[in-house]
Amino acid sequence: MTNTMKKILAIGFVAIAMAFIADQAYASETQVWSTLGVSAEVTPGITLNLEEQFRLSDEADLLRQHTDLSVTLGAVANRMTVTLGYRNTSDDEQRPYVGADLRILSGKLTLDTATRIEMRSFDGDNSFRNRTAVVAGTTVAGLNLSLSDELYVTTDGAEENRATLGVGYDVNGILGVNAFYMLWTTGLDTESTNSHVVGLGASLSL
């Protein structure tokens, strides 16, 4: 068995372990998110991104699907990128957004912040939401490890929080695979509820 296959299998076993832990832990529900992303540099400094995600219940029922199309503008001084995007969801939400990612720390350990301002539209009813995340990452034995925390804030205050532990592997210069576990806390402005999310994904860089 090649080293590449061992690492892909390792990510698969991690995902299975995450699913088992999530199923056994207390929570209002457990979900599985499957994501496919494709990106391509259309011209130097401008990258086009497309993402399709399916969110399933622990009984494999489709809870939500979304399609996300965005353009990322090249790094400023190798530290900041800006993204303009649009997301459409299966529950008829239209969501244009603008975001910025800032590299705080580089090297063996990386630290980034990501901020996104979204306009959420349901049947013409518009609202705004801010998402701010802190992401730490490192590479161990060819595996990309990450730990992040993301806070969602609306005009009514803090709404939800997502704490995520992820592992990824670059199969080659084109294909990458990943898995993650997320503790998803909603209802911060009322009565909070925890959900467990296990994610599997693949990304293509063209």
Side-chain angles (χ1 to χ4, degrees), residues 20-94:
F20 176 78
I21 293 172
D23 185 61
Q24 298 299 315
Y26 73 96
S28 62
E29 65 176 7
T30 300
Q31 297 185 19
V32 177
W33 295 3
S34 176
T35 307
L36 174 63
V38 181
S39 64
E41 188 175 52
V42 294
T43 190
I46 300 179
T47 302
L48 181 65
N49 313 289
L50 177 64
E51 178 186 277
E52 192 73 19
Q53 185 180 85
F54 299 89
R55 299 182 180 182
L56 308 174
S57 70
D58 53 6
E59 297 179 349
D61 296 320
L62 180 62
L63 301 174
R64 201 182 86 164
Q65 174 186 357
H66 77 232
T67 302
D68 194 301
L69 180 64
S70 65
V71 175
T72 300
L73 306 181
V76 178
N78 295 320
R79 286 193 174 274
M80 188 177 81
T81 59
V82 175
T83 299
L84 304 174
Y86 166 78
R87 176 172 294 186
N88 174 266
T89 72
S90 57
D91 51 4
D92 296 326
E93 178 189 355
Q94 317 297 321

Side-chain angles (χ1 to χ4, degrees), residues 132-145:
T132 301
V134 177
V135 185
T138 191
T139 300
V140 178
L143 297 176
N144 304 315
L145 307 180

Side-chain angles (χ1 to χ4, degrees), residues 17 21 28 48 95 97 109 118 124 127 151 163 192:
I21 293 172
S28 62
L48 181 65
R95 191 191 304 176
Y97 62 86
L109 176 66
E118 305 171 323
S127 63
L151 181 65
S192 62

